[in-house]
Amino acid sequence: MTLDSERLRLGRRRLFQHVEPVAHESDPCAAFDEEAPRLPGTNLFVDSRGRLWLCNADGLLRIENPDDETVRVRHYSAEDGLDRHALTLVEDLNGRMFLGTLNGIVQFEPDQRLARHYTTSDGLPSSNVLTAVRDGRGDLWF
């Protein structure tokens, strides 16, 4: 589930339900196209460009057009430098994505296909990063 300034998005198995917060009305479910992996997700996130991201056990899904009836999905995985088991996601003020995983934090810049890994050897207190949030000043908290 994620909430942005316009709507609430609820995810469930290959479908997303859009709920208007003020009107309490819901749009029809948007279905994944047939290319989308059939993996359950652990976290939904809407980035600054309005794209919907889904963390899952096999990496990360980016939904380019979450408000369309049939959505386009891009799957990022180990081939893109990501760890398996993406658990949480946050975006910094420069548009870089940071994933919390079972192996630390991955700084991910999908347009440049760059991934940098941070682990306990870089000073993290634990390898398991379960939550991530950006505060009002733009600082990231894990």
Side-chain angles (χ1 to χ4, degrees):
M1 172 172 47
T2 185
L3 175 66
D4 61 25
S5 62
E6 298 177 15
R7 61 180 64 205
L8 175 70
R9 292 181 172 92
L10 304 171
R12 60 181 199 264
R13 294 201 77 64
R14 299 184 55 79
L15 296 174
F16 285 101
Q17 182 77 33
H18 305 286
V19 180
E20 298 295 336
V22 177
H24 303 289
E25 297 175 7
S26 61
D27 294 340
C29 292
F32 282 126
D33 61 26
E34 290 305 314
E35 299 296 315
R38 296 178 185 238
L39 299 171
T42 59
N43 193 2
L44 294 173
F45 179 79
V46 178
D47 70 12
S48 61
R49 298 200 286 188
R51 300 174 300 188
L52 184 64
W53 296 80
L54 173 68
C55 298
N56 67 34
D58 195 35
L60 190 62
L61 301 176
R62 182 176 74 190
I63 295 93
E64 293 290 333
N65 54 337
D67 295 326
D68 290 354
E69 188 172 318
T70 300
V71 296
R72 291 184 315 274
V73 178
R74 168 71 164 93
H75 182 220
Y76 297 97
S77 65
E79 294 173 3
D80 301 293
L82 300 184
D83 288 345
R84 291 180 53 107
H85 302 289
L87 302 173
T88 188
L89 182 67
V90 67
E91 179 182 21
D92 74 4
L93 294 175
N94 296 314
R96 295 176 296 213
M97 308 305 286
F98 290 82
L99 285 82
T101 74
L102 295 176
N103 298 312
I105 297 170
V106 179
Q107 177 184 332
F108 184 53
E109 298 180 49
D111 295 335
Q112 289 80 27
R113 297 183 59 106
L114 298 174
R116 180 173 179 200
H117 298 256
Y118 298 93
T119 66
T120 53
S121 61
D122 296 305
L124 292 179
S126 171
S127 294
N128 297 327
V129 180
L130 306 176
T131 44
V133 67
R134 184 178 74 202
D135 68 18
R137 294 188 334 211
D139 295 326
L140 302 182
W141 296 84
F142 300 94

